[in-house]
PDB file of all heavy atoms in Angstrom:
ATOM      1  N   SER E 159       4.904  22.247  -6.820  1.00  0.00           N
ATOM      2  CA  SER E 159       3.553  22.290  -6.235  1.00  0.00           C
ATOM      3  C   SER E 159       2.989  20.864  -6.100  1.00  0.00           C
ATOM      4  O   SER E 159       2.415  20.500  -5.069  1.00  0.00           O
ATOM      5  CB  SER E 159       2.676  23.179  -7.115  1.00  0.00           C
ATOM      6  OG  SER E 159       1.337  22.975  -6.850  1.00  0.00           O
ATOM      7  N   ASP E 160       3.169  20.044  -7.133  1.00  0.00           N
ATOM      8  CA  ASP E 160       2.685  18.654  -7.067  1.00  0.00           C
ATOM      9  C   ASP E 160       3.415  17.862  -5.980  1.00  0.00           C
ATOM     10  O   ASP E 160       2.792  17.101  -5.233  1.00  0.00           O
ATOM     11  CB  ASP E 160       2.908  17.946  -8.419  1.00  0.00           C
ATOM     12  CG  ASP E 160       1.913  18.405  -9.471  1.00  0.00           C
ATOM     13  OD1 ASP E 160       0.975  19.147  -9.119  1.00  0.00           O
ATOM     14  OD2 ASP E 160       2.073  18.018 -10.647  1.00  0.00           O
ATOM     15  N   PHE E 161       4.725  18.061  -5.900  1.00  0.00           N
ATOM     16  CA  PHE E 161       5.496  17.324  -4.885  1.00  0.00           C
ATOM     17  C   PHE E 161       5.052  17.752  -3.475  1.00  0.00           C
ATOM     18  O   PHE E 161       4.937  16.932  -2.579  1.00  0.00           O
ATOM     19  CB  PHE E 161       7.003  17.582  -5.051  1.00  0.00           C
ATOM     20  CG  PHE E 161       7.647  16.844  -6.218  1.00  0.00           C
ATOM     21  CD1 PHE E 161       6.883  16.146  -7.153  1.00  0.00           C
ATOM     22  CD2 PHE E 161       9.029  16.830  -6.369  1.00  0.00           C
ATOM     23  CE1 PHE E 161       7.478  15.479  -8.224  1.00  0.00           C
ATOM     24  CE2 PHE E 161       9.632  16.154  -7.423  1.00  0.00           C
ATOM     25  CZ  PHE E 161       8.858  15.487  -8.351  1.00  0.00           C
ATOM     26  N   CYS E 162       4.809  19.056  -3.324  1.00  0.00           N
ATOM     27  CA  CYS E 162       4.375  19.544  -2.006  1.00  0.00           C
ATOM     28  C   CYS E 162       3.062  18.873  -1.598  1.00  0.00           C
ATOM     29  O   CYS E 162       2.889  18.467  -0.446  1.00  0.00           O
ATOM     30  CB  CYS E 162       4.218  21.067  -2.016  1.00  0.00           C
ATOM     31  SG  CYS E 162       5.796  21.925  -1.917  1.00  0.00           S
ATOM     32  N   LYS E 163       2.142  18.753  -2.552  1.00  0.00           N
ATOM     33  CA  LYS E 163       0.863  18.082  -2.247  1.00  0.00           C
ATOM     34  C   LYS E 163       1.127  16.650  -1.804  1.00  0.00           C
ATOM     35  O   LYS E 163       0.587  16.172  -0.814  1.00  0.00           O
ATOM     36  CB  LYS E 163      -0.042  18.085  -3.481  1.00  0.00           C
ATOM     37  CG  LYS E 163      -0.905  19.314  -3.531  1.00  0.00           C
ATOM     38  CD  LYS E 163      -1.938  19.250  -4.658  1.00  0.00           C
ATOM     39  CE  LYS E 163      -2.201  20.667  -5.137  1.00  0.00           C
ATOM     40  NZ  LYS E 163      -1.865  20.916  -6.537  1.00  0.00           N
ATOM     41  N   ALA E 164       1.980  15.956  -2.569  1.00  0.00           N
ATOM     42  CA  ALA E 164       2.269  14.551  -2.261  1.00  0.00           C
ATOM     43  C   ALA E 164       2.929  14.405  -0.887  1.00  0.00           C
ATOM     44  O   ALA E 164       2.728  13.407  -0.199  1.00  0.00           O
ATOM     45  CB  ALA E 164       3.176  13.958  -3.338  1.00  0.00           C
ATOM     46  N   TRP E 165       3.691  15.411  -0.483  1.00  0.00           N
ATOM     47  CA  TRP E 165       4.390  15.339   0.809  1.00  0.00           C
ATOM     48  C   TRP E 165       3.570  15.940   1.944  1.00  0.00           C
ATOM     49  O   TRP E 165       4.049  16.056   3.076  1.00  0.00           O
ATOM     50  CB  TRP E 165       5.740  16.076   0.712  1.00  0.00           C
ATOM     51  CG  TRP E 165       6.768  15.355  -0.116  1.00  0.00           C
ATOM     52  CD1 TRP E 165       6.953  14.008  -0.224  1.00  0.00           C
ATOM     53  CD2 TRP E 165       7.793  15.958  -0.950  1.00  0.00           C
ATOM     54  NE1 TRP E 165       8.013  13.727  -1.056  1.00  0.00           N
ATOM     55  CE2 TRP E 165       8.547  14.900  -1.516  1.00  0.00           C
ATOM     56  CE3 TRP E 165       8.139  17.268  -1.254  1.00  0.00           C
ATOM     57  CZ2 TRP E 165       9.617  15.119  -2.381  1.00  0.00           C
ATOM     58  CZ3 TRP E 165       9.202  17.488  -2.108  1.00  0.00           C
ATOM     59  CH2 TRP E 165       9.937  16.429  -2.663  1.00  0.00           C
ATOM     60  N   GLY E 166       2.362  16.386   1.644  1.00  0.00           N
ATOM     61  CA  GLY E 166       1.496  16.925   2.704  1.00  0.00           C
ATOM     62  C   GLY E 166       1.869  18.322   3.158  1.00  0.00           C
ATOM     63  O   GLY E 166       1.591  18.710   4.289  1.00  0.00           O
ATOM     64  N   ILE E 167       2.503  19.099   2.279  1.00  0.00           N
ATOM     65  CA  ILE E 167       2.871  20.489   2.631  1.00  0.00           C
ATOM     66  C   ILE E 167       1.746  21.408   2.166  1.00  0.00           C
ATOM     67  O   ILE E 167       1.442  21.458   0.971  1.00  0.00           O
ATOM     68  CB  ILE E 167       4.196  20.902   1.939  1.00  0.00           C
ATOM     69  CG1 ILE E 167       5.336  19.984   2.395  1.00  0.00           C
ATOM     70  CG2 ILE E 167       4.533  22.366   2.197  1.00  0.00           C
ATOM     71  CD1 ILE E 167       6.611  20.114   1.567  1.00  0.00           C
ATOM     72  N   SER E 168       1.123  22.136   3.087  1.00  0.00           N
ATOM     73  CA  SER E 168      -0.006  22.973   2.660  1.00  0.00           C
ATOM     74  C   SER E 168       0.377  24.435   2.446  1.00  0.00           C
ATOM     75  O   SER E 168      -0.432  25.214   1.940  1.00  0.00           O
ATOM     76  CB  SER E 168      -1.186  22.836   3.623  1.00  0.00           C
ATOM     77  OG  SER E 168      -0.728  22.649   4.920  1.00  0.00           O
ATOM     78  N   GLN E 169       1.598  24.811   2.837  1.00  0.00           N
ATOM     79  CA  GLN E 169       2.057  26.182   2.538  1.00  0.00           C
ATOM     80  C   GLN E 169       2.489  26.221   1.075  1.00  0.00           C
ATOM     81  O   GLN E 169       2.762  25.198   0.467  1.00  0.00           O
ATOM     82  CB  GLN E 169       3.266  26.558   3.415  1.00  0.00           C
ATOM     83  CG  GLN E 169       2.962  26.660   4.889  1.00  0.00           C
ATOM     84  CD  GLN E 169       2.788  25.297   5.554  1.00  0.00           C
ATOM     85  OE1 GLN E 169       3.214  24.279   5.040  1.00  0.00           O
ATOM     86  NE2 GLN E 169       2.150  25.297   6.712  1.00  0.00           N
ATOM     87  N   LYS E 170       2.563  27.451   0.527  1.00  0.00           N
ATOM     88  CA  LYS E 170       3.050  27.580  -0.846  1.00  0.00           C
ATOM     89  C   LYS E 170       4.578  27.618  -0.824  1.00  0.00           C
ATOM     90  O   LYS E 170       5.162  28.451  -0.118  1.00  0.00           O
ATOM     91  CB  LYS E 170       2.502  28.873  -1.451  1.00  0.00           C
ATOM     92  CG  LYS E 170       1.911  28.640  -2.812  1.00  0.00           C
ATOM     93  CD  LYS E 170       1.369  29.911  -3.393  1.00  0.00           C
ATOM     94  CE  LYS E 170      -0.083  29.696  -3.800  1.00  0.00           C
ATOM     95  NZ  LYS E 170      -0.830  30.922  -3.904  1.00  0.00           N
ATOM     96  N   VAL E 171       5.207  26.726  -1.567  1.00  0.00           N
ATOM     97  CA  VAL E 171       6.663  26.760  -1.719  1.00  0.00           C
ATOM     98  C   VAL E 171       6.947  27.013  -3.198  1.00  0.00           C
ATOM     99  O   VAL E 171       6.522  26.234  -4.057  1.00  0.00           O
ATOM    100  CB  VAL E 171       7.319  25.429  -1.278  1.00  0.00           C
ATOM    101  CG1 VAL E 171       8.837  25.498  -1.465  1.00  0.00           C
ATOM    102  CG2 VAL E 171       6.971  25.102   0.169  1.00  0.00           C
ATOM    103  N   LEU E 172       7.617  28.129  -3.482  1.00  0.00           N
ATOM    104  CA  LEU E 172       7.857  28.509  -4.878  1.00  0.00           C
ATOM    105  C   LEU E 172       9.348  28.579  -5.168  1.00  0.00           C
ATOM    106  O   LEU E 172      10.103  29.196  -4.401  1.00  0.00           O
ATOM    107  CB  LEU E 172       7.257  29.896  -5.156  1.00  0.00           C
ATOM    108  CG  LEU E 172       5.779  30.106  -4.857  1.00  0.00           C
ATOM    109  CD1 LEU E 172       5.413  31.579  -5.071  1.00  0.00           C
ATOM    110  CD2 LEU E 172       4.919  29.221  -5.753  1.00  0.00           C
ATOM    111  N   PRO E 173       9.789  27.965  -6.285  1.00  0.00           N
ATOM    112  CA  PRO E 173      11.160  28.255  -6.706  1.00  0.00           C
ATOM    113  C   PRO E 173      11.208  29.730  -7.091  1.00  0.00           C
ATOM    114  O   PRO E 173      10.196  30.279  -7.538  1.00  0.00           O
ATOM    115  CB  PRO E 173      11.343  27.365  -7.944  1.00  0.00           C
ATOM    116  CG  PRO E 173       9.971  27.064  -8.427  1.00  0.00           C
ATOM    117  CD  PRO E 173       9.035  27.167  -7.258  1.00  0.00           C
ATOM    118  N   MET E 174      12.346  30.388  -6.924  1.00  0.00           N
ATOM    119  CA  MET E 174      12.378  31.834  -7.233  1.00  0.00           C
ATOM    120  C   MET E 174      12.058  32.080  -8.704  1.00  0.00           C
ATOM    121  O   MET E 174      11.477  33.099  -9.062  1.00  0.00           O
ATOM    122  CB  MET E 174      13.743  32.437  -6.872  1.00  0.00           C
ATOM    123  CG  MET E 174      14.900  31.876  -7.676  1.00  0.00           C
ATOM    124  SD  MET E 174      16.465  32.487  -7.051  1.00  0.00           S
ATOM    125  CE  MET E 174      17.573  31.988  -8.384  1.00  0.00           C
ATOM    126  N   SER E 175      12.442  31.114  -9.558  1.00  0.00           N
ATOM    127  CA  SER E 175      12.217  31.271 -10.989  1.00  0.00           C
ATOM    128  C   SER E 175      12.068  29.895 -11.641  1.00  0.00           C
ATOM    129  O   SER E 175      12.612  28.906 -11.141  1.00  0.00           O
ATOM    130  CB  SER E 175      13.409  32.003 -11.623  1.00  0.00           C
ATOM    131  OG  SER E 175      13.234  32.131 -13.013  1.00  0.00           O
ATOM    132  N   ASP E 176      11.353  29.861 -12.746  1.00  0.00           N
ATOM    133  CA  ASP E 176      11.290  28.621 -13.538  1.00  0.00           C
ATOM    134  C   ASP E 176      12.423  28.577 -14.554  1.00  0.00           C
ATOM    135  O   ASP E 176      12.621  27.561 -15.215  1.00  0.00           O
ATOM    136  CB  ASP E 176       9.938  28.514 -14.261  1.00  0.00           C
ATOM    137  CG  ASP E 176       8.863  27.945 -13.351  1.00  0.00           C
ATOM    138  OD1 ASP E 176       9.217  27.279 -12.353  1.00  0.00           O
ATOM    139  OD2 ASP E 176       7.669  28.166 -13.636  1.00  0.00           O
ATOM    140  N   SER E 177      13.115  29.700 -14.716  1.00  0.00           N
ATOM    141  CA  SER E 177      14.235  29.740 -15.665  1.00  0.00           C
ATOM    142  C   SER E 177      15.530  29.462 -14.916  1.00  0.00           C
ATOM    143  O   SER E 177      15.659  29.820 -13.747  1.00  0.00           O
ATOM    144  CB  SER E 177      14.333  31.123 -16.305  1.00  0.00           C
ATOM    145  OG  SER E 177      13.103  31.458 -16.888  1.00  0.00           O
ATOM    146  N   PRO E 178      16.490  28.856 -15.609  1.00  0.00           N
ATOM    147  CA  PRO E 178      17.731  28.526 -14.905  1.00  0.00           C
ATOM    148  C   PRO E 178      18.542  29.749 -14.508  1.00  0.00           C
ATOM    149  O   PRO E 178      18.730  30.670 -15.303  1.00  0.00           O
ATOM    150  CB  PRO E 178      18.501  27.663 -15.918  1.00  0.00           C
ATOM    151  CG  PRO E 178      17.850  27.893 -17.232  1.00  0.00           C
ATOM    152  CD  PRO E 178      16.455  28.363 -16.990  1.00  0.00           C
ATOM    153  N   VAL E 179      18.963  29.765 -13.250  1.00  0.00           N
ATOM    154  CA  VAL E 179      19.931  30.747 -12.744  1.00  0.00           C
ATOM    155  C   VAL E 179      21.034  29.895 -12.128  1.00  0.00           C
ATOM    156  O   VAL E 179      20.742  28.956 -11.399  1.00  0.00           O
ATOM    157  CB  VAL E 179      19.310  31.654 -11.657  1.00  0.00           C
ATOM    158  CG1 VAL E 179      20.358  32.589 -11.071  1.00  0.00           C
ATOM    159  CG2 VAL E 179      18.139  32.460 -12.217  1.00  0.00           C
ATOM    160  N   ARG E 180      22.270  30.177 -12.456  1.00  0.00           N
ATOM    161  CA  ARG E 180      23.353  29.338 -11.942  1.00  0.00           C
ATOM    162  C   ARG E 180      24.350  30.166 -11.164  1.00  0.00           C
ATOM    163  O   ARG E 180      24.991  31.069 -11.730  1.00  0.00           O
ATOM    164  CB  ARG E 180      24.078  28.614 -13.095  1.00  0.00           C
ATOM    165  CG  ARG E 180      23.230  27.589 -13.820  1.00  0.00           C
ATOM    166  CD  ARG E 180      22.923  26.378 -12.918  1.00  0.00           C
ATOM    167  NE  ARG E 180      21.845  25.565 -13.457  1.00  0.00           N
ATOM    168  CZ  ARG E 180      20.556  25.682 -13.129  1.00  0.00           C
ATOM    169  NH1 ARG E 180      20.154  26.593 -12.253  1.00  0.00           N
ATOM    170  NH2 ARG E 180      19.641  24.898 -13.667  1.00  0.00           N
ATOM    171  N   THR E 181      24.493  29.866  -9.892  1.00  0.00           N
ATOM    172  CA  THR E 181      25.496  30.544  -9.072  1.00  0.00           C
ATOM    173  C   THR E 181      26.863  29.967  -9.413  1.00  0.00           C
ATOM    174  O   THR E 181      27.109  28.779  -9.212  1.00  0.00           O
ATOM    175  CB  THR E 181      25.174  30.357  -7.571  1.00  0.00           C
ATOM    176  OG1 THR E 181      23.883  30.895  -7.332  1.00  0.00           O
ATOM    177  CG2 THR E 181      26.204  31.056  -6.691  1.00  0.00           C
ATOM    178  N   MET E 182      27.729  30.818  -9.959  1.00  0.00           N
ATOM    179  CA  MET E 182      29.051  30.381 -10.393  1.00  0.00           C
ATOM    180  C   MET E 182      30.107  31.033  -9.502  1.00  0.00           C
ATOM    181  O   MET E 182      29.987  32.205  -9.136  1.00  0.00           O
ATOM    182  CB  MET E 182      29.303  30.774 -11.853  1.00  0.00           C
ATOM    183  CG  MET E 182      28.239  30.284 -12.833  1.00  0.00           C
ATOM    184  SD  MET E 182      27.979  28.495 -12.851  1.00  0.00           S
ATOM    185  CE  MET E 182      29.462  27.931 -13.646  1.00  0.00           C
ATOM    186  N   VAL E 183      31.102  30.264  -9.163  1.00  0.00           N
ATOM    187  CA  VAL E 183      32.175  30.756  -8.295  1.00  0.00           C
ATOM    188  C   VAL E 183      33.386  31.046  -9.164  1.00  0.00           C
ATOM    189  O   VAL E 183      33.882  30.159  -9.861  1.00  0.00           O
ATOM    190  CB  VAL E 183      32.544  29.686  -7.241  1.00  0.00           C
ATOM    191  CG1 VAL E 183      33.611  30.221  -6.291  1.00  0.00           C
ATOM    192  CG2 VAL E 183      31.307  29.246  -6.474  1.00  0.00           C
ATOM    193  N   ASP E 184      33.809  32.307  -9.121  1.00  0.00           N
ATOM    194  CA  ASP E 184      35.024  32.670  -9.835  1.00  0.00           C
ATOM    195  C   ASP E 184      36.180  32.393  -8.867  1.00  0.00           C
ATOM    196  O   ASP E 184      36.243  32.978  -7.785  1.00  0.00           O
ATOM    197  CB  ASP E 184      34.946  34.158 -10.212  1.00  0.00           C
ATOM    198  CG  ASP E 184      36.126  34.576 -11.063  1.00  0.00           C
ATOM    199  OD1 ASP E 184      36.825  33.680 -11.581  1.00  0.00           O
ATOM    200  OD2 ASP E 184      36.362  35.796 -11.187  1.00  0.00           O
ATOM    201  N   SER E 185      37.054  31.457  -9.239  1.00  0.00           N
ATOM    202  CA  SER E 185      38.108  31.048  -8.305  1.00  0.00           C
ATOM    203  C   SER E 185      39.467  31.062  -8.998  1.00  0.00           C
ATOM    204  O   SER E 185      39.546  31.229 -10.215  1.00  0.00           O
ATOM    205  CB  SER E 185      37.813  29.636  -7.793  1.00  0.00           C
ATOM    206  OG  SER E 185      38.237  28.678  -8.739  1.00  0.00           O
TER     207      SER E 185
END
Side-chain angles (χ1 to χ4, degrees):
S159 163
D160 285 352
F161 284 8
C162 283
K163 271 187 211 119
W165 288 325
I167 299 168
S168 34
Q169 294 75 19
K170 228 180 234 159
V171 179
L172 304 175
M174 64 187 192
S175 178
D176 277 339
S177 305
V179 176
R180 294 292 165 266
T181 301
M182 305 303 288
V183 183
D184 185 15
S185 81

